[in-house]
Structure formats: structure tokens, C-alpha cells
Amino acid sequence: MAQASAAARAPETGVFDAVVVGAGFAGLYMLHRLRGLGFTARVYEAGGGVGGTWYWNRYPGARCDVESLQYSFSFSEELDQDWNWSEKYSPQPEILAYANHVADRFDLRSQIVFDTRVTAATFNEDTDSWLIETDRGDRVTAKFCIMAVGCLSAPNRPAFPGMDDFRGPIYHTGEWPHEGVDFTGLRVGVIGTGSSAIQSIPIIAQQASQLTVFQRTATWSVPAWNEALSAEYLKEAKAHYPELRAKARARPTGFYFPFNLQPALEANEEQRRQQYEAAWQRGGLPFLGAYGDLLFEKSANDTIAEFARQKIRSIVKDPATAELLCPQNVFGCKRLCVDTNYFETYNLPHVKLVDVSRTPIQRFTRDGIVVDGTEYKVDAIVSATGFAAMTGSFDRIGITGRGGRTLAEKWRAGPRAYLGLASEGFPNLFMITGPGSPSVLASMIQAIEQHVDWLADCLGHMRDIGAGSIEPLQADEDAWMAHVNDVSTVSLRSTCSSWYVGTNIAGRPRVFMPYIGGFPVYVQKCNEVMNNAYEGFVLKGARLGNTPPQVHFTERWHVPLDIEVISPAAVAAKRVPVV
């Protein structure tokens, strides 16, 4: 699992306008905007290249669950026209190639330092600046510190007893060997049945002589029906790209798909069956758009859940295995998975499902994994155990703000941030898609772009008025977090254990971290804050006074709510459909 060692270099010192932590899509776009403002910037990246999540997640079958044409940057129409996606759902190598294309096309590499992990960021109250330190001995100063660390980038590695005794390799899907892994002829054990497992299990099963899957919680998944994109399709799509982008920005998820606002409970059983079947045949995340009340009314959700269970039972031939694979929680309560032949894989004679919900994994041995007194012999283990979502990457960095208070101390009971952008007590520290923003409940790249554009206008405004620092006010941060929590209870998503609330990590506080109220509703709030001279923030040291800013980059995010999907009544009731 080890990567190639980093090239030796001397530690650097220096002063920058901004330091960006991470060179995934967020870090790349932030750097692009900083350069456009004429700011000096340095980006530190722990990996050996750009791409973030898509640099590390190279497990078999890894691909995006948002359609390629929308899982891409929208800030450059030329970039839209230049790049050609080969499939409906992009595979990891192609997404990584796209990230590299962006880095090269906009000449971003010269300001990125790779193979370097930021270990500490300390605020200096005398100079209103940050001291950033790395594991390579770098010590640089910047007025602004911008965390582009990603929501799913800190692997969760449960410490099973006896792990050191196992003589074979143990892989984590979030840190896959770059040279790949050949499982041909091996007995393989996969722990977990979340998204990475659902994507990788069908591929691993094609190679392994025996595959044993250890499942704690059954996962809802719908078929992707992935396919190649023809030249004719791409030509037509590109001809209407601006309209597609505009539609996407107005949608609760930040990406566009057909949505049926009708309540499921107003249809009869046969109508629902036909609607669900049509949505199943389209596949993907839009399956949850079959009706408008599926994540708000338990009785409505029960109808789509039972339809999906019947699909699983019709695919998986062994009744006992089929029942184990049928989730019993709310449909879509956790992030809905999208698969290619996942359930079909359990019909293969060399694939076995082991239930560890009631009798957890006891220990690893020299030759395998023990559950309920039975040892399952394996030659290699794949840990598909997910991530310390939303805050895990912050936990890796010693972030110290005003008065010596650390971010870890402030967030001990759960993350707190105003708009998911900044946290009281930490001036000039920004987060891209941080907790309290739509982030993982929206199309990530659109969520990233909106945050970066907002920050770019903010930093430009601070320079225009000569402000030394910006920081949220405690009362406004508290009010926003109360709103995030309040809105989360409206959706059925708040009713189950998931990584949205940190339940996949022992000892983590149980807090619903992303903003579930819908992407355009959130964007509207951000726009209001900016237009009201950064309401909820305090700007210090301004020469010209805090006036409303000159808006440049955020203009394209001023879009009306999509009435086709979000009726005024739905907004009033806080019933915003989410996928």
C-alpha cells in the first residue's frame, strides 16, 4: 500500500497572501481564483498529485455517482467544450485525468507543493496571520488559511483485534495502491457494504477464487445502467451546456434530473409500481425523485423501500442471502448507492455473505477472520470501512485560533461553523464545503465552486477596504447551527445511523453535519449575507468601512429557486426534496 517516497527538498519559509490545504477540486479552483485576484498563494498537498479523493480512491470499480456531464467544473465554458467524457458515470482514472487536465490547462502546478502534509496552523493575533507548518519542515506565514481538505478524505480504520497477526495484505479502499492489486486466484475478504464495497465487490469477484463479504448493515443501492457516451450525444449536450448548468444551480441537489413533485401517497399501488419501475430503469440517484414526499413521510418511504426489497429478492437467488441484503432502515436515509451488478454478484457460487450485525467480527487470525467462533480463511482483506466524514481531515491538523483555543476543543461536541465557511474564534480561516453547508448532499463540484466564488469575492472585498481579518460572530454562528439542526429533523434522513451524523466512528458526537435544506436555499442565504455587508461576520481594521462588496464571481449563483421542483408551499414547510 506504500506509495513512492517523496523527493527530497529543503523546507521552505515565506509569506503568502493565502495558503490552501489540499489540491483536490476545491484546492485547484481556489488557487485559480486567488491567482485571478493577484494574490500570492501556496497549496500544500499530502498526495503525489492533484485530484484529492480521486487521487487516493483507486479501488476496483471506483466511479462517480453523479453523471459525468454534471460532475465537472462549470466556471469555464471553454473547459466544458474542450473535455469529452467517455461514460455516463466517469470511472476514477478519467476523473483523475480531468483533474490533471484542469491543473495543466490553467497552469496551476507551479504553486502546489506535493507529498507534503500540513500538520499545524496557528493564528497570530498581533499580525492577524497564520503560521502553517508541514511534515517536511515548512514554516510559512499567510494572511488567509483555506482548508480544501475534502469531506471524505480521512479513512476510517477500525482496529480489529489480531490485525497484526494476519499474514496477508490489508487494503483500505480510500488508500488503494497506485499500482493496483491483482486478486486472481486469491481468497478475499471484504469488510463493509457501503459505496466503495458495492462498486468494488463485483470486480473483485471476477478475480478472486473465493470472496467473503462481511456485512454489518445492508445498504440501499440502485442500478447505474452505465453506458458509453456517443459523439452525437456529447455534441448535443455541449450545445446546451449553459442551460443545463443553470438548471442544475436551481435544483436542491446542485445537479439536474427529472423530478416528480406528486406525493407517493396520492397515487394508488399500481401507479406507484409503474412509477418506481420507470425510475428503476432510468437508475442512479434520481431514483429518489420518483415522488416528492419520499424523504418526508415514513409511509411514503415504506412504499419505495418495499419496491426496492422486491427487486433485491428477484435478483438474488438464495432467499436467506436476499433477506440479509434487504435493508430495514429508511430508503435513502444514508447516501443512496449506485451499482453495476452488485446484487447479481451474490449468485456466484464462490461469493459468500456473512452477517456481522448481531455477532461482530471477533478478531483477525494468521489465516483469516473469526465471526461467532467460525474462522473464514482469506489471503487478502479489503477494508471498505469508509471515512471519518466531514471533520476527519481537520482532526489531523493542529489548528489553533485566538486565545490558544484549538479547533478540536471547540468541536469536541460536534463541528460548529457559520454557513460551513468559517468558525468563530478562528479569524481568516476558511473551509470549503465545511460542516453546516450542503457539501455531500449536493453535487460536490458545484458546492465547491459556490464556496470558492463566495470566498474570492470576500477576499477581494477585504483587500478593497483594507480589512485585516474577518470572523463569524458567535450569535450568528449559533443561530445558523440551530437552523442546520432544525432543518435536518424535517427529513427522514435524521432518523438513522449514518456517517452524516458520525455514527460510523466510535466516540464521535452525534450531530447531523451537512445542511439538508437544499442547495439554492443555502446559496440564497450566502448571497444575502454578502449583500448585507457580510452580516454575521465582523471585519476588523478596514480603512473604508464595511460596505456591500463589488460582486464578481458570485453573480452566477444568483438564481431563482426552481419552481418546477420547489413550490412556495414546499419552501414554507421546509420540504425541500433531496437526493
Side-chain angles (χ1 to χ4, degrees), residues 136-425:
R136 303 287 292 274
D138 306 298
R139 289 172 59 86
V140 300
T141 300
K143 183 174 182 178
F144 304 108
C145 182
I146 303 169
M147 309 300 289
V149 293
C151 299
L152 298 171
S153 53
N156 173 36
R157 295 180 173 277
F160 296 104
M163 290 182 74
D164 292 339
D165 298 331
F166 182 64
R167 63 178 178 175
I170 302 174
Y171 306 101
H172 192 286
T173 49
E175 291 181 336
W176 203 257
H178 289 195
E179 66 274 14
V181 180
D182 184 2
F183 291 112
T184 301
L186 298 181
R187 299 169 299 178
V188 181
V190 175
I191 301 173
T193 51
S195 179
S196 63
I198 282 174
Q199 290 184 331
S200 61
I201 282 170
I203 309 298
I204 295 173
Q206 295 173 11
Q207 299 178 351
S209 62
Q210 179 181 307
L211 176 59
T212 306
V213 178
F214 299 89
Q215 173 185 274
R216 182 178 63 178
T217 306
T219 303
W220 295 111
S221 186
V222 298
W225 307 122
N226 193 32
E227 59 185 349
L229 299 179
S230 67
E232 293 76 17
Y233 179 88
L234 286 171
K235 182 179 179 181
E236 177 66 16
K238 287 185 177 186
H240 301 283
Y241 229 147
E243 299 98 296
L244 176 63
R245 297 297 197 187
K247 286 181 179 180
R249 292 185 196 115
R251 287 298 176 100
T253 56
F255 66 96
Y256 178 81
F257 60 91
F259 191 92
N260 175 27
L261 196 59
Q262 179 190 8
L265 297 179
E266 290 185 4
N268 62 41
E269 185 173 348
E270 177 57 22
Q271 289 171 329
R272 285 195 297 265
R273 188 197 66 77
Q274 292 180 6
Q275 179 74 356
Y276 290 146
E277 184 62 36
W280 184 273
Q281 294 306 320
R282 288 193 299 271
L285 296 178
F287 182 64
L288 260 174
Y291 286 104
D293 57 351
L294 296 175
L295 285 176
F296 301 100
E297 300 290 347
K298 180 61 166 57
S299 52
N301 191 276
D302 288 343
T303 66
I304 194 172
E306 188 53 33
F307 175 88
R309 291 190 192 103
Q310 290 300 335
K311 283 292 184 181
I312 295 170
R313 292 170 184 138
S314 70
I315 294 169
V316 181
K317 295 176 182 177
D318 177 60
T321 301
E323 288 309 307
L324 284 177
L325 289 167
C326 285
Q328 298 305 310
N329 55 14
V330 167
F331 187 94
C333 191
K334 298 183 179 183
R335 174 91 172 188
L336 184 61
C337 290
V338 178
D339 72 88
T340 298
N341 297 325
Y342 172 66
F343 294 112
E344 289 85 346
T345 300
Y346 291 95
N347 293 328
L348 300 174
H350 66 292
V351 177
K352 180 178 179 61
L353 182 66
V354 177
D355 178 22
V356 295
S357 61
R358 294 183 177 85
T359 54
I361 291 173
Q362 292 172 261
R363 64 184 184 277
F364 286 20
T365 66
R366 182 174 181 270
D367 299 311
I369 296 174
V370 177
V371 177
D372 197 23
T374 298
E375 181 181 30
Y376 297 88
K377 303 275 190 178
V378 295
D379 303 307
I381 295 173
V382 174
S383 181
T385 48
F387 301 89
M390 305 293 290
T391 61
S393 293
F394 291 93
D395 297 339
R396 293 176 166 186
I397 304 171
I399 302 173
T400 306
R402 280 191 297 104
R405 181 173 57 159
T406 67
L407 192 67
E409 290 169 344
K410 178 176 179 180
W411 285 9
R412 185 169 288 122
R416 304 189 66 77
Y418 185 42
L419 304 177
L421 281 163
S423 195
E424 178 274 331

Side-chain angles (χ1 to χ4, degrees), residues 19 50 63 188 190 339 442 450 467 473:
V19 162
V50 301
R63 66 179 68 244
V188 181
V190 175
D339 72 88
Q450 184 268 336
L473 293 165

